[in-house]
Amino acid sequence: MPTSVEFKLLAPHNKAAVLIGSFSDWNEIPLQKDDKGYFRTSVELDDGVYQYKFRIQSKSWSHEPDEWVEINDPYVTEIDASTSNGVVRIKDGERIVDDYVWHHDDKLLPENHELVIYELLVSDFFHGTQDNHQGHYTNVIEKLDYLCELGINAIELMPVNESPGHYNWGYIPSYFFAPKPEYGSTQELKHLIDECHVRGIRVILDQLYNHSSEESPLLHIDRDYWYYHDRHHPDADPQDYWGPEFNYEYKDETLGIRPAWEFMGDVLRFWVQEYHIDGIRYDALKELDNFDFLHWMTEGAKQVAGQKPFYNIGEHIPEKPELISPNGPMDGCWHENFYQTLKPPLCGEAFDLDQIKQAIDPTQQDYPQGLIKAVSYLCNHDQKRLLLELGDRDILDDAAFSRAKLGAVLLMTAVGVPLIWMGEEFGDCTPINADEPDQQLGWLLLQGDRNRDLFEYYKGLIALRKQNLALQTANIDFFHENPEDKVFAYGRWNDQGARVVVVASFSDQFRADYQIPHFPANGTWHEWTKNYKVESQNDQLTINLGEYEAQVLIWQ
């Protein structure tokens, strides 16, 4: 039996709008405007799948005055890949996104301070074939057991929103509720998240709230109602402009709403409720630049998430510790300084011990105390892979992999939440370029001895990071500093007696019988990287320290 289904479109200043769809043979159905600024109508529909769009007289200055334009619903939850029309599904007389049944919502998931995050791009996180050049959600599911073996307990998906073009990274979204059809169906995305949860892996979604593509229907309804007329920051670097920027300062006094706030609040609630995500990375916060809005969003996310752990991570480059201060809106912040500081010494260039200490202990950069405040990385989607940087300097083979291991130790033992960019754990050398498709990971590299050894090294470090509670505190002490020899050591500990000491050398010289004074405790220590025991006596430890090497000592 047909059921009355409502279609509505917020457009307070527009003169007229109509609905068209497969249910009307694409003939126009008039819409009536109410006193809340919505154009509305109801259509009698049987259960099924339909395509639809709106036509509206635009108020945007990018069109002729009152020009009729055809748009998708800004709230559309699915885009048909072949027609680019919006899709609406009706089941039991109700609108649904799909009929996926969740199976693992009762699974306990790790807390924020326990996380080791793995950033991945769905389209490239697979091994391509001649007939298949872009990955899907199902390909990610196939690799979840691999991630479990590595020890990953959170994945950060680069944006999955529908955006212009067949291949892109999703950072210029067109539709904020609809995933990219190229990656798979909405059911397949939910299945991926469900399969992550049953394995104890949380899913953090990269989201864009600063801007949209020119294809966004909001832009064609009434551009100045949702967006700044020009740029939010007119004097900012033109390279930091990626599309029309949402205006979170504007309030519609007649309706008593902030249109951009209302829209993005609905976006956030939708993804947390409908897709059961466990965290959000907020892109481009330097450009968004509105703490009041961000407070409202992050508090709303946690309210919707309820009792399960949720992680709000901001990306603000250059870093802005105020984001994560006691009064700041974010739980954590991407720690770009970690990458920028460690790349030069790992590549044999400038060695600045004070800066390295600041990267490993973010409180020295005015970050507030706390383990989850900094999300640190040796590489991410915006940066060149470490092995490529080393190769550019003719540092190859064993020498390059030794430096990759040194970086991995510092990443996994620094104060903060570690993040690994896909493939770094086995030394992938695929270039990173948002404009070039067919950049799938070189999974066959894992058959090589050096690559597999690096994978096992990361695997062991991740296990250490998760199991040794000294690394799950913010306690750190740099008790040995030798800038001349490019050697330093720091200790991590908790109040229950767990201790970890890291001795790091950025020197190209082997140092036999290297003496480390002021050692934290006398007695037996287990060196993790080479699996041997060593005794510290008289507050001193003596070890052999290789070139570009870190040793990890665990209190017995």
Short mmCIF file of all heavy atoms in Angstrom, two decimals, residues 112-170:
data_model
loop_
_atom_site.label_atom_id
_atom_site.label_comp_id
_atom_site.label_asym_id
_atom_site.label_seq_id
_atom_site.Cartn_x
_atom_site.Cartn_y
_atom_site.Cartn_z
N ASN A 112 40.65 6.23 23.82
CA ASN A 112 41.47 7.11 22.99
C ASN A 112 42.96 6.97 23.29
O ASN A 112 43.80 6.97 22.37
CB ASN A 112 41.04 8.57 23.18
CG ASN A 112 39.66 8.85 22.63
OD1 ASN A 112 39.12 8.05 21.87
ND2 ASN A 112 39.08 9.96 23.00
N HIS A 113 43.32 6.84 24.57
CA HIS A 113 44.75 6.80 24.92
C HIS A 113 45.40 5.47 24.52
O HIS A 113 46.62 5.36 24.55
CB HIS A 113 44.93 7.04 26.43
CG HIS A 113 44.49 5.89 27.28
ND1 HIS A 113 43.18 5.73 27.68
CD2 HIS A 113 45.17 4.85 27.81
CE1 HIS A 113 43.08 4.64 28.41
NE2 HIS A 113 44.27 4.09 28.52
N GLU A 114 44.61 4.48 24.13
CA GLU A 114 45.15 3.19 23.73
C GLU A 114 45.34 3.07 22.22
O GLU A 114 45.86 2.07 21.73
CB GLU A 114 44.20 2.07 24.18
CG GLU A 114 43.97 2.01 25.67
CD GLU A 114 42.91 1.00 26.07
OE1 GLU A 114 41.77 1.10 25.58
OE2 GLU A 114 43.23 0.09 26.87
N LEU A 115 44.98 4.10 21.47
CA LEU A 115 44.88 3.96 20.02
C LEU A 115 46.24 3.98 19.32
O LEU A 115 47.15 4.71 19.69
CB LEU A 115 44.01 5.08 19.44
CG LEU A 115 42.53 5.09 19.87
CD1 LEU A 115 41.79 6.20 19.14
CD2 LEU A 115 41.88 3.74 19.62
N VAL A 116 46.32 3.16 18.27
CA VAL A 116 47.34 3.26 17.23
C VAL A 116 46.56 3.36 15.92
O VAL A 116 45.90 2.42 15.50
CB VAL A 116 48.28 2.04 17.22
CG1 VAL A 116 49.29 2.17 16.08
CG2 VAL A 116 48.99 1.89 18.55
N ILE A 117 46.64 4.53 15.29
CA ILE A 117 45.77 4.85 14.15
C ILE A 117 46.48 4.57 12.83
O ILE A 117 47.67 4.83 12.69
CB ILE A 117 45.34 6.33 14.21
CG1 ILE A 117 44.66 6.65 15.56
CG2 ILE A 117 44.40 6.67 13.06
CD1 ILE A 117 44.36 8.12 15.75
N TYR A 118 45.72 4.06 11.87
CA TYR A 118 46.23 3.76 10.54
C TYR A 118 45.40 4.55 9.53
O TYR A 118 44.21 4.33 9.38
CB TYR A 118 46.10 2.26 10.28
CG TYR A 118 46.83 1.72 9.07
CD1 TYR A 118 48.14 1.24 9.19
CD2 TYR A 118 46.22 1.66 7.83
CE1 TYR A 118 48.81 0.71 8.09
CE2 TYR A 118 46.89 1.13 6.72
CZ TYR A 118 48.18 0.66 6.86
OH TYR A 118 48.84 0.12 5.76
N GLU A 119 46.03 5.52 8.86
CA GLU A 119 45.32 6.34 7.88
C GLU A 119 45.36 5.64 6.52
O GLU A 119 46.43 5.21 6.06
CB GLU A 119 45.96 7.73 7.77
CG GLU A 119 45.16 8.64 6.85
CD GLU A 119 45.88 9.92 6.48
OE1 GLU A 119 47.12 9.98 6.62
OE2 GLU A 119 45.20 10.84 6.01
N LEU A 120 44.19 5.57 5.87
CA LEU A 120 44.17 4.90 4.57
C LEU A 120 43.19 5.59 3.62
O LEU A 120 42.21 6.20 4.03
CB LEU A 120 43.83 3.42 4.71
CG LEU A 120 42.45 2.98 5.20
CD1 LEU A 120 41.47 2.83 4.03
CD2 LEU A 120 42.54 1.68 5.97
N LEU A 121 43.49 5.45 2.35
CA LEU A 121 42.64 5.92 1.25
C LEU A 121 42.02 4.70 0.60
O LEU A 121 42.75 3.83 0.08
CB LEU A 121 43.48 6.72 0.25
CG LEU A 121 42.79 7.17 -1.04
CD1 LEU A 121 41.64 8.11 -0.74
CD2 LEU A 121 43.80 7.83 -1.97
N VAL A 122 40.70 4.60 0.64
CA VAL A 122 40.02 3.39 0.17
C VAL A 122 40.43 3.04 -1.26
O VAL A 122 40.70 1.88 -1.58
CB VAL A 122 38.49 3.57 0.27
CG1 VAL A 122 37.77 2.41 -0.41
CG2 VAL A 122 38.06 3.68 1.73
N SER A 123 40.52 4.03 -2.13
CA SER A 123 40.76 3.74 -3.55
C SER A 123 42.13 3.12 -3.81
O SER A 123 42.31 2.41 -4.79
CB SER A 123 40.62 5.03 -4.38
OG SER A 123 41.56 5.99 -3.95
N ASP A 124 43.11 3.38 -2.91
CA ASP A 124 44.48 2.89 -3.16
C ASP A 124 44.94 1.81 -2.18
O ASP A 124 46.05 1.30 -2.31
CB ASP A 124 45.47 4.07 -3.07
CG ASP A 124 45.32 5.04 -4.23
OD1 ASP A 124 44.63 4.70 -5.20
OD2 ASP A 124 45.88 6.15 -4.15
N PHE A 125 44.09 1.46 -1.24
CA PHE A 125 44.48 0.48 -0.23
C PHE A 125 44.17 -0.95 -0.71
O PHE A 125 43.43 -1.70 -0.11
CB PHE A 125 43.76 0.76 1.09
CG PHE A 125 44.23 -0.07 2.25
CD1 PHE A 125 45.53 0.05 2.73
CD2 PHE A 125 43.39 -0.97 2.88
CE1 PHE A 125 45.97 -0.70 3.80
CE2 PHE A 125 43.82 -1.73 3.95
CZ PHE A 125 45.12 -1.60 4.41
N PHE A 126 44.73 -1.29 -1.86
CA PHE A 126 44.55 -2.63 -2.41
C PHE A 126 45.57 -2.81 -3.51
O PHE A 126 46.26 -1.87 -3.91
CB PHE A 126 43.12 -2.81 -2.94
CG PHE A 126 42.91 -2.32 -4.36
CD1 PHE A 126 42.56 -3.22 -5.36
CD2 PHE A 126 43.08 -0.99 -4.70
CE1 PHE A 126 42.37 -2.78 -6.66
CE2 PHE A 126 42.90 -0.54 -5.99
CZ PHE A 126 42.54 -1.45 -6.98
N HIS A 127 45.69 -4.04 -4.00
CA HIS A 127 46.61 -4.32 -5.09
C HIS A 127 45.82 -4.36 -6.39
O HIS A 127 44.97 -5.22 -6.59
CB HIS A 127 47.32 -5.66 -4.87
CG HIS A 127 48.34 -5.97 -5.94
ND1 HIS A 127 49.46 -5.20 -6.12
CD2 HIS A 127 48.38 -6.93 -6.88
CE1 HIS A 127 50.17 -5.70 -7.13
NE2 HIS A 127 49.53 -6.74 -7.60
N GLY A 128 46.06 -3.38 -7.26
CA GLY A 128 45.29 -3.26 -8.49
C GLY A 128 45.57 -4.36 -9.49
O GLY A 128 46.61 -5.00 -9.48
N THR A 129 44.60 -4.58 -10.37
CA THR A 129 44.74 -5.51 -11.48
C THR A 129 44.43 -4.77 -12.76
O THR A 129 44.01 -3.61 -12.75
CB THR A 129 43.79 -6.70 -11.31
OG1 THR A 129 42.43 -6.23 -11.39
CG2 THR A 129 44.00 -7.40 -9.97
N GLN A 130 44.59 -5.46 -13.87
CA GLN A 130 44.36 -4.83 -15.16
C GLN A 130 42.91 -4.36 -15.29
O GLN A 130 42.63 -3.34 -15.92
CB GLN A 130 44.68 -5.81 -16.29
CG GLN A 130 44.60 -5.19 -17.68
CD GLN A 130 45.08 -6.15 -18.76
OE1 GLN A 130 45.44 -7.26 -18.48
NE2 GLN A 130 45.10 -5.68 -19.99
N ASP A 131 41.99 -5.09 -14.69
CA ASP A 131 40.57 -4.75 -14.81
C ASP A 131 40.04 -3.96 -13.62
O ASP A 131 38.87 -3.58 -13.61
CB ASP A 131 39.75 -6.04 -14.97
CG ASP A 131 40.15 -6.83 -16.21
OD1 ASP A 131 40.46 -6.18 -17.24
OD2 ASP A 131 40.17 -8.06 -16.14
N ASN A 132 40.85 -3.75 -12.61
CA ASN A 132 40.37 -3.11 -11.39
C ASN A 132 41.43 -2.13 -10.92
O ASN A 132 42.48 -2.52 -10.42
CB ASN A 132 40.10 -4.17 -10.32
CG ASN A 132 39.51 -3.56 -9.06
OD1 ASN A 132 39.09 -2.41 -9.06
ND2 ASN A 132 39.47 -4.34 -8.00
N HIS A 133 41.14 -0.84 -11.10
CA HIS A 133 42.14 0.19 -10.80
C HIS A 133 41.77 1.05 -9.60
O HIS A 133 42.47 1.99 -9.29
CB HIS A 133 42.33 1.10 -12.02
CG HIS A 133 42.89 0.38 -13.21
ND1 HIS A 133 44.22 0.08 -13.35
CD2 HIS A 133 42.28 -0.12 -14.31
CE1 HIS A 133 44.42 -0.56 -14.49
NE2 HIS A 133 43.26 -0.70 -15.08
N GLN A 134 40.67 0.73 -8.94
CA GLN A 134 40.28 1.52 -7.78
C GLN A 134 39.69 0.60 -6.72
O GLN A 134 38.85 -0.24 -7.01
CB GLN A 134 39.26 2.60 -8.16
CG GLN A 134 38.84 3.47 -6.99
CD GLN A 134 38.31 4.82 -7.42
OE1 GLN A 134 39.03 5.64 -7.97
NE2 GLN A 134 37.04 5.05 -7.18
N GLY A 135 40.15 0.79 -5.49
CA GLY A 135 39.72 -0.07 -4.41
C GLY A 135 38.31 0.23 -3.93
O GLY A 135 37.74 1.29 -4.20
N HIS A 136 37.75 -0.73 -3.22
CA HIS A 136 36.41 -0.62 -2.68
C HIS A 136 36.43 -0.96 -1.19
O HIS A 136 37.43 -1.46 -0.68
CB HIS A 136 35.45 -1.57 -3.42
CG HIS A 136 35.36 -1.29 -4.89
ND1 HIS A 136 36.29 -1.76 -5.79
CD2 HIS A 136 34.44 -0.59 -5.62
CE1 HIS A 136 35.95 -1.37 -7.01
NE2 HIS A 136 34.84 -0.65 -6.94
N TYR A 137 35.30 -0.73 -0.54
CA TYR A 137 35.19 -1.08 0.88
C TYR A 137 35.48 -2.56 1.09
O TYR A 137 36.08 -2.95 2.09
CB TYR A 137 33.80 -0.75 1.40
CG TYR A 137 33.41 0.70 1.27
CD1 TYR A 137 32.23 1.08 0.62
CD2 TYR A 137 34.21 1.70 1.82
CE1 TYR A 137 31.87 2.42 0.51
CE2 TYR A 137 33.86 3.04 1.70
CZ TYR A 137 32.68 3.38 1.04
OH TYR A 137 32.33 4.70 0.94
N THR A 138 35.06 -3.39 0.15
CA THR A 138 35.30 -4.83 0.30
C THR A 138 36.78 -5.15 0.30
O THR A 138 37.21 -6.08 0.99
CB THR A 138 34.60 -5.60 -0.83
OG1 THR A 138 34.99 -5.05 -2.10
CG2 THR A 138 33.09 -5.50 -0.71
N ASN A 139 37.59 -4.38 -0.45
CA ASN A 139 39.04 -4.60 -0.45
C ASN A 139 39.65 -4.25 0.91
O ASN A 139 40.60 -4.91 1.35
CB ASN A 139 39.72 -3.77 -1.54
CG ASN A 139 39.25 -4.12 -2.93
OD1 ASN A 139 38.75 -3.27 -3.67
ND2 ASN A 139 39.39 -5.38 -3.31
N VAL A 140 39.11 -3.24 1.57
CA VAL A 140 39.60 -2.89 2.90
C VAL A 140 39.26 -4.00 3.88
O VAL A 140 40.09 -4.39 4.72
CB VAL A 140 39.02 -1.54 3.36
CG1 VAL A 140 39.53 -1.19 4.76
CG2 VAL A 140 39.37 -0.43 2.38
N ILE A 141 38.04 -4.54 3.77
CA ILE A 141 37.65 -5.65 4.65
C ILE A 141 38.62 -6.82 4.49
O ILE A 141 39.02 -7.46 5.48
CB ILE A 141 36.20 -6.10 4.35
CG1 ILE A 141 35.22 -4.99 4.73
CG2 ILE A 141 35.86 -7.39 5.10
CD1 ILE A 141 33.78 -5.26 4.32
N GLU A 142 39.04 -7.09 3.26
CA GLU A 142 39.97 -8.19 3.01
C GLU A 142 41.30 -7.98 3.71
O GLU A 142 42.03 -8.96 3.97
CB GLU A 142 40.20 -8.33 1.50
CG GLU A 142 38.98 -8.81 0.73
CD GLU A 142 39.14 -8.64 -0.78
OE1 GLU A 142 40.20 -8.12 -1.21
OE2 GLU A 142 38.20 -8.99 -1.51
N LYS A 143 41.66 -6.73 4.03
CA LYS A 143 42.94 -6.43 4.66
C LYS A 143 42.83 -6.20 6.17
O LYS A 143 43.83 -5.89 6.82
CB LYS A 143 43.57 -5.19 4.02
CG LYS A 143 44.07 -5.41 2.59
CD LYS A 143 45.25 -6.37 2.56
CE LYS A 143 45.86 -6.49 1.18
NZ LYS A 143 46.97 -7.47 1.16
N LEU A 144 41.65 -6.36 6.75
CA LEU A 144 41.50 -6.09 8.18
C LEU A 144 42.29 -7.06 9.03
O LEU A 144 42.84 -6.69 10.08
CB LEU A 144 40.02 -6.10 8.57
CG LEU A 144 39.18 -4.93 8.05
CD1 LEU A 144 37.75 -5.05 8.55
CD2 LEU A 144 39.78 -3.58 8.47
N ASP A 145 42.36 -8.32 8.62
CA ASP A 145 43.15 -9.27 9.40
C ASP A 145 44.64 -8.91 9.35
O ASP A 145 45.37 -9.12 10.33
CB ASP A 145 42.91 -10.69 8.90
CG ASP A 145 41.53 -11.21 9.27
OD1 ASP A 145 40.90 -10.64 10.19
OD2 ASP A 145 41.06 -12.17 8.62
N TYR A 146 45.08 -8.37 8.22
CA TYR A 146 46.46 -7.88 8.13
C TYR A 146 46.68 -6.75 9.13
O TYR A 146 47.69 -6.72 9.85
CB TYR A 146 46.73 -7.39 6.71
CG TYR A 146 47.94 -6.48 6.58
CD1 TYR A 146 49.22 -7.01 6.43
CD2 TYR A 146 47.80 -5.10 6.62
CE1 TYR A 146 50.32 -6.18 6.33
CE2 TYR A 146 48.89 -4.26 6.52
CZ TYR A 146 50.15 -4.80 6.37
OH TYR A 146 51.25 -3.98 6.27
N LEU A 147 45.72 -5.81 9.22
CA LEU A 147 45.85 -4.71 10.16
C LEU A 147 45.83 -5.21 11.60
O LEU A 147 46.53 -4.68 12.47
CB LEU A 147 44.75 -3.68 9.93
CG LEU A 147 44.81 -2.91 8.61
CD1 LEU A 147 43.63 -1.95 8.48
CD2 LEU A 147 46.12 -2.15 8.47
N CYS A 148 45.02 -6.24 11.85
CA CYS A 148 45.00 -6.84 13.19
C CYS A 148 46.35 -7.46 13.52
O CYS A 148 46.85 -7.33 14.65
CB CYS A 148 43.90 -7.89 13.28
SG CYS A 148 42.25 -7.20 13.43
N GLU A 149 46.96 -8.14 12.55
CA GLU A 149 48.28 -8.72 12.78
C GLU A 149 49.29 -7.63 13.09
O GLU A 149 50.14 -7.79 13.98
CB GLU A 149 48.74 -9.51 11.55
CG GLU A 149 50.11 -10.16 11.74
CD GLU A 149 50.67 -10.79 10.48
OE1 GLU A 149 49.96 -10.78 9.45
OE2 GLU A 149 51.82 -11.26 10.51
N LEU A 150 49.20 -6.52 12.40
CA LEU A 150 50.10 -5.39 12.65
C LEU A 150 49.87 -4.81 14.05
O LEU A 150 50.80 -4.31 14.67
CB LEU A 150 49.89 -4.33 11.58
CG LEU A 150 50.72 -3.05 11.65
CD1 LEU A 150 52.21 -3.34 11.60
CD2 LEU A 150 50.32 -2.10 10.50
N GLY A 151 48.65 -4.89 14.54
CA GLY A 151 48.33 -4.37 15.86
C GLY A 151 47.48 -3.12 15.85
O GLY A 151 47.24 -2.51 16.90
N ILE A 152 47.01 -2.72 14.68
CA ILE A 152 46.22 -1.50 14.55
C ILE A 152 44.88 -1.66 15.27
O ILE A 152 44.21 -2.70 15.15
CB ILE A 152 45.98 -1.19 13.05
CG1 ILE A 152 47.30 -0.92 12.34
CG2 ILE A 152 45.00 -0.03 12.89
CD1 ILE A 152 48.10 0.24 12.91
N ASN A 153 44.47 -0.63 16.01
CA ASN A 153 43.16 -0.68 16.65
C ASN A 153 42.28 0.54 16.32
O ASN A 153 41.26 0.77 16.97
CB ASN A 153 43.28 -0.86 18.17
CG ASN A 153 44.11 0.22 18.83
OD1 ASN A 153 44.39 1.27 18.24
ND2 ASN A 153 44.52 -0.02 20.07
N ALA A 154 42.69 1.30 15.29
CA ALA A 154 41.84 2.37 14.76
C ALA A 154 42.27 2.65 13.34
O ALA A 154 43.48 2.72 13.05
CB ALA A 154 41.96 3.64 15.61
N ILE A 155 41.32 2.80 12.45
CA ILE A 155 41.63 3.26 11.10
C ILE A 155 41.01 4.63 10.90
O ILE A 155 39.94 4.93 11.43
CB ILE A 155 41.16 2.28 10.00
CG1 ILE A 155 39.64 2.12 9.99
CG2 ILE A 155 41.85 0.94 10.12
CD1 ILE A 155 39.12 1.35 8.79
N GLU A 156 41.73 5.47 10.19
CA GLU A 156 41.21 6.78 9.81
C GLU A 156 40.99 6.77 8.31
O GLU A 156 41.95 6.71 7.53
CB GLU A 156 42.19 7.89 10.20
CG GLU A 156 41.70 9.29 9.90
CD GLU A 156 42.68 10.35 10.35
OE1 GLU A 156 43.00 10.38 11.55
OE2 GLU A 156 43.13 11.14 9.49
N LEU A 157 39.74 6.79 7.91
CA LEU A 157 39.39 6.78 6.49
C LEU A 157 39.47 8.19 5.94
O LEU A 157 38.81 9.11 6.46
CB LEU A 157 37.99 6.23 6.28
CG LEU A 157 37.72 4.78 6.67
CD1 LEU A 157 36.24 4.44 6.47
CD2 LEU A 157 38.59 3.83 5.84
N MET A 158 40.25 8.38 4.90
CA MET A 158 40.19 9.65 4.19
C MET A 158 38.77 9.83 3.65
O MET A 158 38.02 8.86 3.54
CB MET A 158 41.23 9.67 3.08
CG MET A 158 42.65 9.80 3.64
SD MET A 158 43.97 9.55 2.43
CE MET A 158 43.73 10.93 1.31
N PRO A 159 38.35 11.07 3.36
CA PRO A 159 36.92 11.34 3.13
C PRO A 159 36.27 10.37 2.14
O PRO A 159 36.83 10.06 1.09
CB PRO A 159 36.92 12.76 2.57
CG PRO A 159 38.12 13.38 3.19
CD PRO A 159 39.16 12.28 3.24
N VAL A 160 35.09 9.93 2.50
CA VAL A 160 34.33 9.01 1.64
C VAL A 160 33.11 9.70 1.04
O VAL A 160 32.32 9.06 0.35
CB VAL A 160 33.89 7.75 2.42
CG1 VAL A 160 35.10 6.99 2.94
CG2 VAL A 160 32.94 8.10 3.56
N ASN A 161 32.96 11.00 1.27
CA ASN A 161 31.81 11.73 0.72
C ASN A 161 31.90 11.81 -0.80
O ASN A 161 32.98 11.90 -1.38
CB ASN A 161 31.75 13.14 1.29
CG ASN A 161 31.55 13.15 2.78
OD1 ASN A 161 32.53 13.10 3.52
ND2 ASN A 161 30.32 13.21 3.23
N GLU A 162 30.73 11.85 -1.43
CA GLU A 162 30.67 12.05 -2.88
C GLU A 162 31.27 13.41 -3.22
O GLU A 162 30.98 14.44 -2.61
CB GLU A 162 29.22 11.98 -3.36
CG GLU A 162 28.96 12.42 -4.78
CD GLU A 162 29.67 11.56 -5.82
OE1 GLU A 162 30.42 10.63 -5.46
OE2 GLU A 162 29.48 11.82 -7.02
N SER A 163 32.15 13.42 -4.22
CA SER A 163 32.86 14.62 -4.63
C SER A 163 33.13 14.53 -6.13
O SER A 163 33.02 13.46 -6.73
CB SER A 163 34.16 14.77 -3.84
OG SER A 163 34.89 13.56 -3.84
N PRO A 164 33.50 15.65 -6.76
CA PRO A 164 33.63 15.65 -8.23
C PRO A 164 34.71 14.69 -8.73
O PRO A 164 35.77 14.54 -8.12
CB PRO A 164 34.00 17.10 -8.55
CG PRO A 164 33.54 17.89 -7.38
CD PRO A 164 33.71 16.99 -6.20
N GLY A 165 34.44 14.05 -9.86
CA GLY A 165 35.43 13.20 -10.50
C GLY A 165 35.35 11.76 -10.06
O GLY A 165 34.79 11.43 -9.00
N HIS A 166 35.94 10.89 -10.87
CA HIS A 166 35.92 9.45 -10.58
C HIS A 166 36.95 9.09 -9.53
O HIS A 166 36.70 8.28 -8.64
CB HIS A 166 36.18 8.66 -11.86
CG HIS A 166 36.19 7.18 -11.67
ND1 HIS A 166 35.06 6.45 -11.37
CD2 HIS A 166 37.22 6.27 -11.71
CE1 HIS A 166 35.37 5.17 -11.24
NE2 HIS A 166 36.67 5.04 -11.44
N TYR A 167 38.15 9.70 -9.63
CA TYR A 167 39.22 9.44 -8.67
C TYR A 167 39.59 10.74 -7.99
O TYR A 167 39.98 11.72 -8.65
CB TYR A 167 40.45 8.85 -9.35
CG TYR A 167 41.63 8.67 -8.41
CD1 TYR A 167 41.80 7.46 -7.74
CD2 TYR A 167 42.54 9.69 -8.16
CE1 TYR A 167 42.86 7.28 -6.85
CE2 TYR A 167 43.60 9.51 -7.28
CZ TYR A 167 43.75 8.31 -6.63
OH TYR A 167 44.79 8.14 -5.75
N ASN A 168 39.46 10.80 -6.68
CA ASN A 168 39.93 11.95 -5.91
C ASN A 168 40.01 11.54 -4.45
O ASN A 168 39.56 10.47 -4.07
CB ASN A 168 39.02 13.17 -6.11
CG ASN A 168 37.61 12.91 -5.65
OD1 ASN A 168 37.34 12.82 -4.46
ND2 ASN A 168 36.68 12.76 -6.60
N TRP A 169 40.58 12.42 -3.65
CA TRP A 169 40.76 12.11 -2.23
C TRP A 169 39.57 12.53 -1.38
O TRP A 169 39.56 12.30 -0.18
CB TRP A 169 42.01 12.81 -1.72
CG TRP A 169 43.27 12.14 -2.16
CD1 TRP A 169 43.41 11.07 -3.00
CD2 TRP A 169 44.61 12.51 -1.78
NE1 TRP A 169 44.73 10.74 -3.16
CE2 TRP A 169 45.49 11.61 -2.42
CE3 TRP A 169 45.13 13.50 -0.96
CZ2 TRP A 169 46.87 11.69 -2.26
CZ3 TRP A 169 46.49 13.58 -0.81
CH2 TRP A 169 47.35 12.68 -1.45
N GLY A 170 38.58 13.19 -1.97
CA GLY A 170 37.35 13.51 -1.25
C GLY A 170 37.40 14.77 -0.41
O GLY A 170 36.46 15.04 0.35
#
